[in-house]
Each structure stands twice: as structure tokens, then as C-alpha cells.
Amino acid sequence: IVSKTDSMNLIKTKILKVSRGNSTVLLIGESGTGKELFAHSIHNASDRHKEPFIKVNCSAIPTELAEAELFGYDEGAFTGARKQGKPGKFELADGGTIFLDEIGDHGVSYIDRNFPLFLLCGCLFREDSLQILSPVMPGVSEKHYGLC
């Protein structure tokens, strides 16, 4: 990120500081202001830079499919489900960063069942499954998922 202004240089300094930590990051800005660019910068400057960076355009996922897309599902979870099931975006980002673009476009019901539990303990529940998947985030301080 090339810049000449003091305000942008301050933001870049903060981005580097954040990338060294183990915390969730919320990037707020109007459309086209570079949130994804900063998310990539955080990921690339972090210890997770060799792990996956998964971008999810939440506005492109219908509300009724959001849980299955983000958290995955097991075989037979619903009519039309893949025979072998499907890992969710959070599983695919394990050890790396997940960028949830435009997540504010959906209401609370979009991810109300699994998302708070994931943030607290890293546990994932698959669609229509009672099985708790192995935590992909054993402790909030041990791994980082850039949530934006």
C-alpha cells in the first residue's frame, strides 16, 4: 500500500501492529475504500501468511444457504446436499484468515446459531448435525481469523 498522507501512514502502522497479534479484526468503510486490500495486508504481514486467505462475499450468499456455506454440512443434512458433505468456509480457512465481506448486509439470523459460538471457542457445528467438529481455534489467543 503506497501512500503519502500522514493519516494513511498511521493506518498502515496500525495494520502492521494488528498483524502481529492474535485478535479478531473489524474493518469498517464505505464500498471501494480498500477493506479487502487491508485484510490481505494484515494476513500477508502475519505469521499466518502461508496459510489460506478465504474471502467470502456474504452478499452473494442467500440467507437460507449461509449457515451451510460458512460452517459446512454432513452427508444427508438436507435435500440436495452433496453425498460426502461439504466443509464450510471457516474450516477451509483453518490456521489462516477469513474475510467476511459485506456481512453487515444480512440480519442477525444470517449466522445467529454458529457464529457466536465460533468466536467464543472455535467450535463448529455442521448443518443438521449433533456432532461438534474439532475446534479449529483451540483458544482465541492461539489462532487468528481476520473477520471483517
Side-chain angles (χ1 to χ4, degrees), residues 41-125:
S41 295
I42 292 168
H43 176 77
N44 291 334
S46 74
D47 291 340
R48 298 166 303 284
H49 67 277
K50 292 183 180 176
E51 301 300 330
F53 179 93
I54 303 294
K55 179 192 176 193
V56 181
N57 181 356
C58 296
S59 64
I61 302 172
T63 302
E64 57 275 2
L65 298 178
E67 192 167 327
E69 281 295 313
L70 293 175
F71 302 104
Y73 58 85
D74 289 325
E75 177 181 344
F78 52 87
T79 303
R82 286 186 187 173
K83 184 174 172 89
Q84 68 275 18
K86 179 182 174 189
K89 301 298 186 191
F90 282 98
E91 286 179 79
L92 295 174
D94 187 21
T97 302
I98 187 164
F99 177 66
L100 302 175
D101 196 19
E102 305 295 341
I103 195 163
D105 289 352
H106 292 277
V108 175
S109 64
Y110 184 66
I111 50 172
D112 60 353
R113 188 172 81 170
N114 271 321
F115 198 61
L117 185 61
F118 175 78
L119 287 177
L120 288 173
C121 72
C123 300
L124 295 178
F125 290 88

Side-chain angles (χ1 to χ4, degrees), residues 121-141:
C121 72
C123 300
L124 295 178
F125 290 88
R126 287 245 175 104
E127 184 76 20
D128 292 335
S129 175
L130 297 176
Q131 174 187 9
I132 299 176
L133 300 176
S134 300
V136 295
M137 189 170 67
V140 174
S141 64

